Amino acid sequence: MPSSKREREYERRRYEKWQQRQATKRAHRRRLQVVAGGVVAVLVLGTGVAAALLVTGGDDAPAQADPAPTAAASTPAARTGNGGEVPDASLAEDRTWTGTITTDQGDVGIELDGRAAPQAVASFVTLAQEGYFDGTGCHRLTTSGIYVLQCGDPTGTGTGGPGYAFGPVENAPDDDVYPAGTIAMARQSGDGESQGSQFFLVYEDSTIPSDQAGGYTVFGRITSGLDVVQAVADAGVTGGASDGAPATPVTIEGVETQ
């Protein structure tokens, strides 16, 4: 976090200027759309978990039984974040963010590392501040092989995203081990440029093998409330499977960051 009042003020002004630039871009784009009389169809790339846990659906999505975080084929976005544009990584560079994911099952305290994963943190923080995650469900739980709860899809199907995708992978562990409490980005299998809004919470140490895209972006950690995620995992997957919708539904009521 900025270490002085002057630095905090600088960060605030920089963020406000960034917001103004984005608002100008969006207004300009809307004017062009009105003149042309067109409708822009925003396509979204899904996201993934160790070979398929963080997968977004679609015909090309890995089967849910596949134990890794991968994303699926592009599908129309149900909710667009940041006007469909990738947030500027400079928003999150060189600072640590703290916050809370408030769910109907309990609060999860988080810390986000903008130094190690500036693009992922910039995206997450921007979406959180827009209320993008509000009212969304955590649609996937894996209880065998890897141990993660996947969230961040506004459609609840594994196919949704913010209308943009980014990459490459940042801050992936060299040993493929994701300790309990890790927060990481889902993406499409083999495609490090397919990160969007979906993310996964690791509730037990998990080894997730890297593919050609090189692991999964670790952008934060759980600082409190890991027991909330563990309780959801303990209740298992709907139908008694080891990979699928959690038997205890989880809805994100809001995400605060600072």
Side-chain angles (χ1 to χ4, degrees), residues 10-250:
Y10 170 77
E11 292 290 342
R12 185 187 65 80
R13 289 198 304 269
R14 187 175 72 166
Y15 179 59
E16 289 177 347
K17 290 180 180 179
W18 176 83
Q19 286 185 311
Q20 291 171 358
R21 290 197 302 270
Q22 298 304 314
T24 300
K25 289 180 181 178
R26 289 194 291 271
H28 179 65
R29 184 169 56 250
R30 285 194 294 269
R31 286 195 297 271
L32 292 178
Q33 289 173 344
V34 171
V35 171
V39 176
V40 178
V42 179
L43 293 181
V44 129
L45 281 176
T47 38
V49 176
L53 178 48
L54 309 187
V55 342
T56 54
D59 293 340
D60 296 335
Q64 283 198 338
D66 187 350
T70 59
S74 301
T75 56
R79 186 182 301 183
T80 300
N82 197 45
E85 296 184 358
V86 180
D88 192 335
S90 65
L91 169 66
E93 285 177 344
D94 299 327
R95 64 166 292 186
T96 299
W97 299 73
T98 58
T100 304
I101 301 174
T102 301
T103 82
D104 59 352
Q105 299 301 317
D107 292 352
V108 178
I110 59 175
E111 182 179 273
L112 309 178
D113 190 347
R115 294 178 177 84
Q119 185 61 80
V121 173
S123 176
F124 185 89
V125 168
T126 298
L127 295 177
Q129 292 176 342
E130 289 182 350
Y132 180 89
F133 299 115
D134 297 3
T136 63
C138 294
H139 62 280
R140 191 172 186 188
L141 174 69
T142 297
T143 61
S144 179
I146 59 175
Y147 308 96
V148 305
L149 178 66
Q150 184 179 339
C151 312
D153 175 9
T155 71
T157 64
T159 67
Y164 62 77
F166 63 88
V169 170
E170 305 171 286
N171 195 39
D174 293 333
D175 59 2
D176 293 341
V177 175
Y178 297 75
T182 296
I183 307 173
M185 292 301 303
R187 62 172 174 78
Q188 188 171 8
S189 180
D191 184 0
E193 303 290 332
S194 60
Q195 300 167 102
S197 62
Q198 293 189 41
F199 61 94
F200 58 102
L201 308 174
V202 182
Y203 60 88
E204 292 183 21
D205 293 357
S206 299
T207 298
I208 306 176
S210 299
D211 58 15
Q212 57 267 42
Y216 298 85
T217 296
V218 174
F219 68 98
R221 66 185 184 92
I222 295 173
T223 56
S224 64
L226 184 59
D227 59 321
V228 172
V229 185
Q230 184 67 62
V232 173
D234 290 345
V237 175
T238 299
S242 62
D243 186 4
T248 299
V250 182

